[in-house]
Amino acid sequence: MSDLNELTQARQWPDSADTHIALVLAGGMALGAYQGGAYEKLHAAGTLSVDWLAGSSVGAVNAALIAGSRPDDRIETLRRFWNGGDLWTAFMSAAGWSGELRHVQNWLSVLQTRVFGAAGHFRPRLSLNPMKRFESLYDLTPMRKRLATLVDFDRLNNDSVRVSVAATDVETGELVVFDTGAGTRIGMEHLLASCGFLPEFAPVEIDGRLLGDGGLYANAPVEIVLNTWTKGPIFVVDLFASEGTRPASLEAALERKNDLIFGNQTLRFLNAYAKVVRPDPAPIVYLSYRPSEHEAGPEKTFDLSRATISDRWKAGMLDMKHALHRITAGEGLPALMTIRRPC
């Protein structure tokens, strides 16, 4: 990342009452609550105008919740999506466990989700017919129904905010982008396709192409905006941290592997961007979710318990608050500012 930091001299944060930004949201299933908190703090700043939202998987879902709501309703819409749950998750959160017991609680939440699904998100497919063609382990119909009540697709497509949704062609491996700025009308099927992470969730056929999770190609689809966005800074909110500690257990090793695979996806594109000579590249503010020690290791993306969702939301708010403090502190804005909030 040092190459990118040295690409240009640091610039001052734009001295404007209405700074235009692009916001890139990565995939990561239940980790997406972190983006809700980060967006809430951005929204509260008041002087920042999000003109372009680009996302993969749950990042695309969060982008749709934001763009498909009235500006004054966006935080409430995000909270309604992320604060849903059933009696089990309410009970588990009310138990108030801490330390090692909290770690056990999170794993119990994962087990419950893996077996029974998650209210408002997905449910298991219960087909016992071995002759039936495999689709996926889980059915996203609950999320389809919830998004239908929360997202105004007419508003999402009215061009007030540009929205780009990333998917992956399952057969060719190519990145496929649906972009309201290019005249595409984004609908429910585009969001579900972007969430089609095999084998858990089914890909969706659109215009003759079988499309799966955007994270299979670009988990944080920064390349969509890097070479064309010039109005102001680009905020990238990743859900997997490329930096971490040495794993001391099998669980930690599996978790670290997943974080490296997806976190390094994003950094690969940012480092490639560093090698492209542009007269005035858009500065990038990069945040990534760093899991706490009580997270459910490699299965943390399936922990939708209310306590964990709340923790991730708060972490997003704190990280974005730290980011906004740094970039407005008068130190200048480098080509890439990586946010590492002191814990």
Side-chain angles (χ1 to χ4, degrees):
M1 289 190 293
S2 59
D3 290 342
L4 187 54
N5 279 316
E6 295 168 1
L7 181 61
T8 61
Q9 293 182 346
R11 291 178 290 171
Q12 295 299 311
W13 180 253
D15 185 14
S16 170
D18 188 18
T19 300
H20 298 274
I21 66 172
L23 180 60
V24 179
L25 302 175
M29 288 185 56
L31 305 181
Y34 173 81
Q35 294 171 345
Y39 179 78
E40 180 173 1
K41 187 56 64 175
L42 260 182
H43 186 80
T47 60
L48 301 176
S49 173
V50 179
D51 287 7
W52 193 349
L53 285 157
S56 285
S57 194
V58 77
V61 170
N62 280 332
L65 292 165
I66 294 167
S69 302
R70 293 175 57 251
D72 291 345
D73 296 335
R74 289 172 177 173
I75 306 305
E76 178 60 25
T77 299
L78 286 166
R79 285 192 177 277
R80 287 177 61 191
F81 180 80
W82 285 106
N83 288 343
D86 50 29
L87 291 176
W88 169 264
T89 58
F91 167 75
M92 295 299 288
S93 300
W97 297 346
S98 60
E100 283 299 317
L101 288 178
R102 176 64 187 279
H103 185 63
V104 173
Q105 176 191 24
N106 290 345
W107 270 104
L108 288 174
S109 173
V110 167
L111 180 62
Q112 181 263 339
T113 301
R114 279 293 196 178
V115 175
F116 300 107
H121 293 274
F122 56 87
R123 64 193 181 198
R125 293 190 186 274
L126 301 177
S127 174
L128 299 178
N129 183 359
M131 303 302 293
K132 185 178 180 181
R133 183 178 64 86
F134 176 78
E135 293 183 73
S136 63
L137 297 176
Y138 302 102
D139 179 3
L140 286 171
T141 295
M143 188 174 76
R144 176 193 288 270
K145 292 180 178 179
R146 176 176 282 187
L147 291 178
T149 67
L150 294 176
V151 177
D152 181 342
F153 283 94
D154 288 333
R155 180 177 292 275
L156 186 157
N157 289 283
N158 71 1
D159 295 330
S160 60
V161 178
R162 182 175 180 178
V163 179
S164 300
V165 170
T168 305
D169 189 311
V170 173
E171 295 179 288
T172 68
E174 296 174 326
L175 176 68
V176 178
V177 179
F178 300 102
D179 186 356
T180 61
T184 302
R185 179 176 174 82
I186 291 176
M188 185 70 73
E189 297 306 306
H190 302 99
L191 301 181
L192 296 180
S194 187
C195 293
F197 192 79
L198 292 167
E200 280 82 4
F201 306 109
V204 176
E205 185 168 339
I206 298 177
D207 296 331
R209 305 181 78 173
L210 189 64
L211 303 179
D213 197 290
L216 296 172
Y217 184 99
N219 198 50
V222 292
E223 65 270 39
I224 294 176
V225 302
L226 281 181
N227 292 322
T228 57
W229 173 258
T230 58
K231 290 184 179 180
I234 299 170
F235 282 75
V236 180
V237 186
D238 209 346
L239 298 179
F240 295 92
S242 62
E243 296 180 3
T245 59
R246 296 183 180 185
S249 65
L250 175 60
E251 176 188 337
L254 291 170
E255 178 183 26
R256 190 76 196 107
K257 178 193 73 173
N258 290 341
D259 289 350
L260 285 168
I261 288 173
F262 289 106
N264 279 337
Q265 253 199 29
T266 307
L267 293 178
R268 179 184 62 178
F269 284 111
L270 294 181
N271 285 323
Y273 176 68
K275 297 179 175 63
V276 177
V277 178
R278 294 179 57 195
D280 190 24
I284 299 168
V285 181
Y286 178 83
L287 297 77
S288 59
Y289 176 64
R290 290 179 291 169
S292 63
E293 60 183 10
H294 54 66
E295 288 270 19
E299 288 287 290
K300 61 180 180 285
T301 56
F302 277 85
D303 181 7
L304 282 147
S305 61
R306 293 184 186 177
T308 301
I309 292 298
S310 177
D311 286 348
R312 292 167 181 163
W313 189 286
K314 291 175 183 175
M317 291 188 68
L318 290 172
D319 284 356
M320 185 59 75
K321 179 180 179 181
H322 184 66
L324 295 176
H325 174 75
R326 282 192 58 191
I327 62 183
T328 56
E331 300 176 358
L333 192 63
L336 174 66
M337 176 176 285
T338 302
I339 303 302
R340 292 288 183 267
R341 171 176 54 88
C343 296

